[in-house]
Amino acid sequence: MSVPPYRHFTQIGDPVLRQVAEEVPPERIDTKEIDQIIDRMVKVLRHYDCVGVAAPQIGIPLRIIVMEFREGKQEQFKPEIYEERKMSTLPLTVFINPELEIISSQVNKHPEGCMSVRGYSAKVERYDKVRIRGIGKLDTPSEMELEGWSARIAQHEVDHLNGTIYVDRMDVSSFNCVSWEQVNSAEGRSAIWFHK
Ligand SMILES: [Zn+2]
């Protein structure tokens, strides 16, 4: 039987996604155990080609997040969408025990998805600018200011550490199955995959 840290994403309903994750105690920060968890998070992030992973999403109830919006990702979006959603490159960023501070009252409402609510999407309001502080790993500074889509990623991932999932914040009427058209064209012979 598979044990955490998993190579897949835990799915909504799993209690690990609904609990408040624990701070990593100082004596555990520079241990092989934590390094291995971070290593697994980065591998899962890149394997699934997503932009953020929180430790509970691989079954670990600790306050660790990884984020990355790599250069090549821009090609996955139409230029107008990339601009409208204020997307930008974010190098690999790893925080242990992150703290988020909202530094702009401006909000943006855009579609958002989550690997732990596989196959669906909805519009979510997020603050435009945040400051994130914590113990940086893999060359991450201890403090960063993020804007636009990067600020959205940080808010989404820190939410996971508090047992909050985007469906708690979404505009309910915008909730959609991302493959609904394919379901029709394939006469229902369509599946949501939980592995890649
Ligand atoms: Zn998520």
Side-chain angles (χ1 to χ4, degrees):
M1 194 175 146
S2 171
V3 292
Y6 297 129
R7 291 182 164 80
H8 64 269
F9 282 91
T10 52
Q11 294 300 308
I12 188 166
D14 190 324
V16 75
L17 289 170
R18 286 306 197 178
Q19 69 188 82
V20 176
E22 278 181 40
E23 292 225 341
V24 180
E27 67 273 15
R28 278 171 77 191
I29 286 166
D30 288 310
T31 58
K32 204 174 160 192
E33 176 216 0
I34 297 299
D35 286 347
Q36 282 173 347
I37 290 169
I38 291 169
D39 182 64
R40 178 62 58 81
M41 289 170 74
V42 173
K43 284 199 173 103
V44 168
L45 171 104
R46 290 180 172 166
H47 181 73
Y48 284 85
D49 190 26
C50 54
V51 295
V53 178
Q57 292 187 280
I58 59 162
I60 302 290
L62 289 175
R63 303 186 80 81
I64 309 172
I65 61 167
V66 303
M67 306 182 283
E68 182 178 49
F69 197 102
R70 54 183 180 78
E71 199 97 24
K73 238 174 144 52
Q74 184 165 358
E75 293 150 24
Q76 295 174 6
F77 300 92
K78 288 180 186 160
E80 57 270 28
I81 297 249
Y82 193 87
E83 197 171 324
E84 189 199 345
R85 297 183 190 174
K86 291 177 80 176
M87 290 171 160
S88 61
T89 302
L90 177 67
L92 182 65
T93 302
V94 182
F95 277 110
I96 295 177
N97 302 339
E99 306 245 8
L100 205 63
E101 186 190 342
I102 309 303
I103 52 174
S104 163
S105 57
Q106 190 196 318
V107 292
N108 305 311
K109 189 174 176 182
H110 292 303
E112 192 172 306
C114 177
M115 295 302 283
S116 293
V117 190
R118 194 78 166 117
Y120 295 86
S121 166
K123 286 183 183 172
V124 184
E125 269 189 3
R126 298 285 188 186
Y127 291 102
D128 186 49
K129 280 185 190 153
V130 298
R131 184 177 294 127
I132 185 165
R133 284 193 189 92
I135 295 149
K137 282 273 189 175
L138 305 181
D139 297 327
T140 303
S142 58
E143 183 177 327
M144 288 172 89
E145 279 188 17
L146 301 171
E147 197 179 344
W149 201 259
S150 297
R152 174 175 297 269
I153 298 168
Q155 289 167 82
H156 180 117
E157 299 312 329
V158 171
D159 267 357
H160 274 304
L161 304 182
N162 296 321
T164 299
I165 301 174
Y166 85 87
V167 296
D168 305 333
R169 300 189 184 278
M170 69 182 177
D171 172 344
V172 176
S173 68
S174 70
F175 188 58
N176 71 99
C177 175
V178 293
S179 51
W180 67 268
E181 286 166 301
Q182 197 193 326
V183 168
N184 292 341
S185 60
E187 297 181 300
R189 292 179 193 84
S190 182
I192 293 170
W193 289 90
F194 297 100
H195 69 86
K196 188 181 169 189

